[in-house]
């Protein structure tokens, strides 16, 4: 069965949305989706990181770094052409950490909801899939940061909107956002602030179908789309129909960071942080992010357990 046939089968079975499938089929023409991943960035051992692995720590499988992965959408992760191997930006990051620690990478595809229990119970050494550091999560997990969480405003290539850098810039615009998301809450707060200043109203639009959303942007029915920068940046690079005009922290006004999650107090986080910093310093980290159009979310230094988003 071909990769595209498999995607359509998943859609018909209700495991993936039709819009996600067609987006993945488009992107599949642009990137390496082979299970071998010969184009993946690899790294040498980092002795300083290996020395930080606690003497008593037992990996799930000796000699392997077992990581929970959530195949669902690029650039984060999706199934390769063999329909069983996770490939994407997060598997690439996991590979860099595994190489640094002198271990073989073992990716375990799971549903998003299963990673917390899997890490706590010891089924996985770590979970790596766009996990944001929060104060509530820090009660059960240790974190090693590797990306900033950004939301981005994207417009059609021929749009007259050149920059959205502050709340006032959305006044008078028609903006698409997904219901129930943190970016929706940020946008609504901006609209209220602009209203108090007497600025023109912002029209908020909601679309369940990604194809309809795209059409709204291209036709001028909407001026901008506000959503997760990672997926929007990857799509913009692949399709070349939209452009970025502004980014903000996903936890605005607080900074939101994405990190490798490990079980609390097992001592593995410091070794992973050291490994990540070595890859940041030698340039492998930048190459891995660029491969998936995620350079805008790069960090200068990995940190262990930084301040997380506050409890709600």
């Amino acid at each position: 069965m071909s990769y595209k046939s498999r995607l359509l089968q998943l859609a018909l079975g209700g495991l993936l949305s039709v819009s996600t499938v067609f987006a993945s089929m488009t992107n599949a023409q642009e990137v390496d989706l082979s299970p071998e991943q010969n184009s993946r960035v690899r790294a040498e051992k980092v002795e300083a990181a290996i020395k930080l692995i606690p003497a008593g720590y037992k990996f799930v499988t000796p000699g392997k770094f077992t990581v929970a992965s959530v195949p669902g959408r690029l650039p984060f992760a999706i199934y390769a052409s063999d329909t069983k191997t996770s490939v994407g930006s997060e598997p690439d990051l996991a590979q860099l950490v595994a190489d640094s620690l002198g271990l073989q990478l073992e990716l375990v595809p799971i549903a998003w909801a299963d990673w917390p229990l899997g890490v706590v119970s010891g089924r996985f050494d770590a979970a790596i899939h766009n996990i944001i550091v929060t104060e509530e999560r820090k009660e059960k997990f240790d974190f090693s940061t590797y990306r900033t969480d950004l939301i981005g405003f994207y417009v059609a290539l021929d749009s007259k909107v050149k920059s959205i850098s502050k709340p006032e810039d959305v006044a008078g615009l028609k903006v698409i956002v997904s219901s129930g998301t943190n970016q929706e809450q940020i946008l609504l707060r901006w609209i209220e602030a602009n209203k108090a200043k007497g600025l023109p109203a912002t029209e908020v639009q909601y679309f369940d179908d990604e194809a309809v959303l795209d059409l709204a942007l291209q036709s001028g029915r909407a001026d901008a789309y506000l959503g997760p920068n990672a997926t929007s940046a990857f799509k913009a690079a692949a399709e070349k129909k939209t452009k970025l005009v502004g980014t903000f922290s996903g936890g605005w006004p607080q900074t939101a960071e994405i990190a490798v999650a490990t079980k609390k107090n097992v001592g593995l986080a410091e070794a992973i942080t050291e490994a990540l910093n070595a890859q940041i310093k030698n340039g492998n980290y930048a190459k891995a992010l660029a491969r998936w159009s995620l350079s805008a979310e790069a960090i200068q230094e990995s940190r262990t357990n930084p301040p997380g988003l506050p409890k709600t």
Side-chain angles (χ1 to χ4, degrees):
M1 180 183 293
S2 71
Y3 180 54
K4 290 184 178 180
S5 296
R6 175 59 174 163
L7 285 173
L8 289 173
Q9 183 185 66
L10 290 172
L12 293 172
L15 297 178
L16 288 176
S17 70
V18 173
S19 59
T20 295
V21 166
F22 280 102
S24 299
M25 289 171 69
T26 298
N27 293 333
Q29 301 170 7
E30 308 291 335
V31 299
D32 174 15
L33 292 179
S34 67
E36 296 80 14
Q37 288 295 289
N38 292 326
S39 53
R40 175 177 285 169
V41 181
R42 300 297 299 270
E44 300 295 326
K45 291 182 181 179
V46 177
E47 294 299 332
I50 295 173
K51 290 179 181 179
L52 290 175
I53 299 173
Y57 182 79
K58 294 183 179 180
F59 287 93
V60 173
T61 300
K64 293 185 177 182
F65 184 47
T66 303
V67 176
S69 178
V70 186
R73 183 169 185 174
L74 292 174
F76 303 131
I78 198 170
Y79 284 111
S81 55
D82 65 355
T83 71
K84 63 181 181 181
T85 303
S86 292
V87 297
S89 64
E90 307 301 66
D92 279 13
L93 190 284
Q95 185 71 70
L96 287 181
V97 175
D99 287 347
S100 299
L101 299 180
L103 300 168
Q104 180 182 344
L105 178 61
E106 179 76 18
L107 290 170
V108 182
I110 62 164
W112 167 261
D114 294 337
W115 76 260
L117 180 58
V119 172
V120 170
S121 67
R123 182 185 174 195
F124 315 117
D125 297 306
I128 302 178
H129 192 85
N130 207 46
I131 300 169
I132 295 175
V133 182
T134 69
E135 288 303 311
E136 184 174 6
R137 285 174 176 165
K138 282 168 63 178
E139 294 175 358
K140 294 183 177 180
F141 306 98
D142 285 328
F143 290 99
S144 301
T145 59
Y146 63 90
R147 270 196 297 116
T148 56
D149 177 49
L150 295 181
I151 55 175
F153 281 97
Y154 282 78
V155 300
L157 288 180
D158 60 356
S159 173
K160 295 181 180 180
V161 178
K162 303 301 180 183
S163 174
I164 298 178
S165 61
K166 55 187 181 300
E168 291 83 354
D169 291 337
V170 301
L173 298 184
K174 294 172 288 187
V175 181
I176 302 170
V177 72
S178 295
S179 178
T181 61
N182 66 321
Q183 54 263 26
E184 179 197 28
Q185 294 306 311
I186 291 171
L187 179 62
L188 294 179
R189 292 204 303 270
W190 287 8
I191 291 172
E192 286 300 311
N194 288 341
K195 183 179 179 180
K197 296 177 181 178
L199 296 175
T202 299
E203 179 184 323
V204 181
Q205 300 182 4
Y206 301 95
F207 296 101
D208 293 328
D209 190 302
E210 190 168 350
V212 178
L213 184 158
D214 292 342
L215 181 60
L217 272 183
Q218 299 305 319
S219 67
R221 286 176 52 203
D223 297 305
Y225 166 67
L226 175 61
N229 182 70
T231 51
S232 295
F234 182 81
K235 184 177 180 180
E239 299 182 357
K240 297 177 174 58
K241 293 182 179 180
T242 56
K243 62 183 178 182
L244 176 68
V245 294
T247 59
F248 302 85
S249 170
W252 187 91
Q254 289 87 16
T255 298
E257 297 185 76
I258 295 165
V260 178
T262 52
K263 186 177 179 180
K264 190 73 176 177
N265 296 327
V266 299
L268 194 58
E270 290 294 349
I272 293 174
T273 299
E274 181 71 23
L276 289 168
N277 280 323
Q279 301 312 318
I280 290 172
K281 185 176 181 180
N282 66 26
N284 284 334
Y285 165 81
K287 293 177 183 177
L289 289 191
R291 186 177 183 227
W292 300 99
S293 303
L294 288 174
S295 299
E297 300 192 358
I299 59 173
Q300 298 299 311
E301 179 184 25
S302 177
R303 297 188 294 165
T304 301
N305 293 330
L309 295 183
K311 294 180 180 180
T312 56

